[in-house]
Amino acid sequence: LFARLWLRVEWVRLERLQDIDEDGCKAEGCDGWESFADLWNGLYEAKGAAWNTNPWVVACGFSVASRTGRAGV
């Protein structure tokens, strides 16, 4: 199997959207809750999952397993 980047799933959890912390917002590429909420609404508000509905989401953490293009190398 080949890929440009192999990721290892470190953790998976179910949480409410508004439970994201400041570090989580930064990991999503935002400066804080307000910019993350704006990003979220831009992507999902029209689909009925606006920030203020505080939907359940699946949060995942990853680490880089390989950058060589080969699994486990």
Side-chain angles (χ1 to χ4, degrees):
L1 296 172
F2 291 92
R4 292 183 184 196
L5 184 69
W6 287 86
L7 299 176
R8 178 178 294 112
V9 177
E10 298 289 340
W11 52 266
V12 178
R13 66 178 174 246
L14 188 63
E15 65 184 27
R16 289 291 198 165
L17 175 62
Q18 293 179 15
D19 289 342
I20 191 169
D21 60 15
E22 198 74 26
D23 290 334
C25 292
K26 289 179 182 175
E28 295 293 335
C30 298
D31 294 331
W33 284 290
E34 187 173 326
S35 62
F36 180 69
D38 289 343
L39 173 65
W40 181 271
N41 280 334
L43 294 169
Y44 301 110
E45 186 171 33
K47 297 176 183 175
W51 172 263
N52 64 355
T53 65
N54 200 21
W56 287 98
V57 295
V58 176
C60 306
F62 301 92
S63 65
V64 176
S66 173
R67 295 178 192 264
T68 64
R70 297 177 189 266
V73 178

